[in-house]
Amino acid sequence: MIPYKYVSLADGQRILEDHSVLFSQPKHFNDPFDAPAYPEEPSEDPVSAILAQLQTMGKNMIWAQNTGILSLTHTPVNALMWAHYADKHRGM
C-alpha cells in the first residue's frame, strides 16, 4: 500500500523541493482527541490525585518535547481529511 499525506499546496511544494516532511509534536495537534488531556486541578479523591500526578509527569517529560509524529494514511480520497489537512480541498 502507498502511504499518503494530506497537506496544503505550499507545504506540498516544500516537501517536494526540500525532500523533507514535518514531524509534529502532539502539543501542536489541532484535534484535542489526538493528544492526552491533562486536568488542571487534581480531584480530592486519592486515586484521581495520583493519576493527575502521573499525567503531569508524562506531560513534562523531556522525551515528549523531542518526539515527533508523522501522520500518514492509506486512504487518498477521504473528503474530511482533504477538508481539514489539505487546505479545504485546495492542497495536495
Side-chain angles (χ1 to χ4, degrees):
M1 299 188 119
I2 299 172
Y4 297 92
K5 181 159 184 69
Y6 296 94
V7 295
S8 67
L9 186 57
D11 287 343
Q13 288 173 330
R14 272 195 295 274
I15 289 170
L16 294 174
E17 291 170 0
D18 300 340
H19 306 284
S20 64
V21 292
L22 176 67
F23 285 73
S24 301
Q25 291 180 321
K27 68 180 180 182
H28 296 296
F29 289 171
N30 63 348
D31 187 339
F33 297 106
D34 286 343
Y38 300 100
E40 292 184 15
E41 295 182 22
S43 170
E44 296 297 323
D45 176 75
V47 173
S48 296
I50 291 170
L51 289 175
Q53 288 176 350
L54 290 173
Q55 289 175 331
T56 301
M57 286 176 13
K59 180 180 178 183
N60 295 323
M61 293 180 76
I62 293 173
W63 66 265
Q65 297 172 1
N66 296 318
T67 299
I69 307 288
L70 175 61
S71 300
L72 301 171
T73 182
H74 288 294
T75 308
V77 292
N78 184 306
L80 185 60
M81 298 295 277
W82 275 102
H84 282 285
Y85 301 107
D87 194 23
K88 300 176 185 169
H89 303 274
R90 296 178 297 215
M92 55 191 295

